[in-house]
Amino acid sequence: MIRLQPYQSSGLAGVIRWYDTVGSTNDVLKALAESGGDEGTVVIADVQTAGRGRQGRRWISERGSGLFLSVLLRPQIPVKKLGHVTLVSAIVAVEAIAHFLNADGTDPRGRVDIKWPNDVWIDEKKIAGILVETGLVVERVKWAVVGIGVNLTSGSLPSELTGQAIAMSDVTSAPVNRDAFAMDLLQRFGVWYGKAAESRFDEIRNRWCELSSFAAGRLIEIETGEGTLRGTTRGLDPDGGLLVRLDSGEERAVFVGEVLRVVPSPRNQPE
Ligand code: BTN
């Protein structure tokens, strides 16, 4: 480890453990979680040799290319409310990215988008991904590790990701300082995690829906693990599932899945 740095935000505080190289920041933090690590502990690494994404995918994590950060939470919530933590993580990532793209912290063209459940997109290319992993004891959450990866520079993105991935350096000429970006993101995380801890779900849902073009009215195909569904999005249910009205007229809440295909949103069309 390189250094330890305390931090404090409104709803979360702890120590940041800065590393040069780790396998995966999520794995480092999961081990700490199991050995009694405190809520709010953060791990940030310059390089991950085994960075992981959702559904067993790799997360390429080369030096200087991005932020690789994980936060340890011990939320006092039932397992079925864990989706709130996922929504909060996406909100925080979008807000931090928008803030660094625009000096005034706004995103007037609505370029930064959340692809359900928590991929962050710019111009329909992925700029950030979130991997939430949990340890559970009988219907309660013992710990949750939220891993956030943000592409800061595009130089080291592999050619197979051309057209699918984008980095902050592709959209702003102002260099983004990783450490300042991480501190900003943690401040926002504390604010929104505080709302989740206080069960202020309506605020979380409204904000997520404001930030995601997937929230309502999009025709999608979604792989749920129990088959592919096709239908139109209708917002979020109280536990954070995506409501989809199927072509048959039935409405379903989907909690785990992958959006396979979307009909292009007018919001993301070139001007
Ligand atoms: C995804 O979109 O598939 C999720 C990507 C999550 C990547 C981050 S980088 C920090 C943390 N450590 C990991 O190994 N993965 C997450």
Side-chain angles (χ1 to χ4, degrees):
M1 200 197 334
I2 306 174
R3 66 192 154 103
L4 294 172
Q5 179 187 0
Y7 75 96
Q8 172 132 36
S9 68
S10 65
L12 196 66
V15 171
I16 306 173
R17 302 167 69 93
W18 297 87
Y19 288 82
D20 183 279
T21 303
V22 296
S24 153
T25 53
N26 267 35
D27 291 346
V28 172
L29 210 41
K30 279 162 72 177
L32 281 172
E34 283 297 345
S35 59
D38 291 328
E39 173 163 83
T41 307
V42 172
V43 169
I44 299 177
D46 295 350
V47 176
Q48 295 186 116
T49 54
R52 291 185 287 111
R54 291 173 66 236
Q55 311 204 322
R57 286 190 283 256
R58 243 169 15 121
W59 188 262
I60 293 153
S61 313
E62 291 180 5
R63 190 178 303 280
S65 68
L67 172 67
F68 316 117
L69 169 149
S70 300
V71 190
L72 172 58
L73 305 172
R74 296 193 181 275
Q76 305 289 310
I77 54 172
V79 175
K80 66 188 265 231
K81 301 284 180 202
L82 251 176
H84 298 186
V85 171
T86 303
L87 300 178
V88 157
S89 310
I91 290 171
V92 166
V94 170
E95 286 190 346
I97 289 168
H99 176 74
F100 274 75
L101 289 185
N102 302 283
D104 63 357
T106 61
D107 180 22
R109 291 185 56 225
R111 276 181 94 179
V112 194
D113 194 8
I114 306 171
K115 175 181 178 247
W116 186 86
N118 54 11
D119 281 355
V120 183
W121 272 10
I122 288 187
D123 300 342
E124 306 210 340
K125 294 179 189 150
K126 185 156 164 171
I127 187 154
I130 295 162
L131 177 67
V132 181
E133 299 183 283
T134 49
L136 309 174
V137 260
V138 269
E139 294 298 301
R140 302 288 311 176
V141 183
K142 201 163 120 203
W143 52 260
V145 167
V146 176
I148 304 178
V150 183
N151 301 331
L152 297 182
T153 60
S154 57
S156 55
L157 287 173
S159 54
E160 77 244 31
L161 291 183
T162 309
Q164 295 172 44
I166 194 166
M168 298 287 279
S169 62
D170 296 323
V171 266
T172 173
S173 52
V176 175
N177 179 291
R178 181 200 63 171
D179 297 2
F181 183 84
M183 297 314 290
D184 181 82
L185 190 139
L186 284 175
Q187 286 300 319
R188 295 173 194 279
F189 202 100
V191 171
W192 283 98
Y193 181 63
K195 294 183 200 283
E198 291 168 10
S199 304
R200 287 155 67 183
F201 179 61
D202 283 349
E203 280 173 62
I204 295 170
R205 172 164 51 186
N206 290 344
R207 186 65 176 140
W208 191 94
C209 289
E210 205 172 79
L211 295 175
S212 174
S213 73
F214 284 75
R218 280 195 91 175
L219 183 56
I220 58 168
E221 273 177 17
I222 185 164
E223 170 56 51
T224 65
E226 293 161 3
T228 303
L229 300 176
R230 186 188 143 96
T232 304
T233 57
R234 309 260 302 160
L236 298 175
D237 99 326
D239 294 331
L242 183 68
L243 292 170
V244 182
R245 167 156 308 156
L246 308 183
D247 292 348
S248 65
E250 182 197 342
E251 192 161 279
R252 287 257 189 104
V254 182
F255 290 89
V256 180
E258 179 85 6
V259 175
L260 300 175
R261 213 172 69 81
V262 290
V263 175
S265 148
R267 177 177 146 181
N268 288 322
Q269 296 300 302
E271 280 165 2

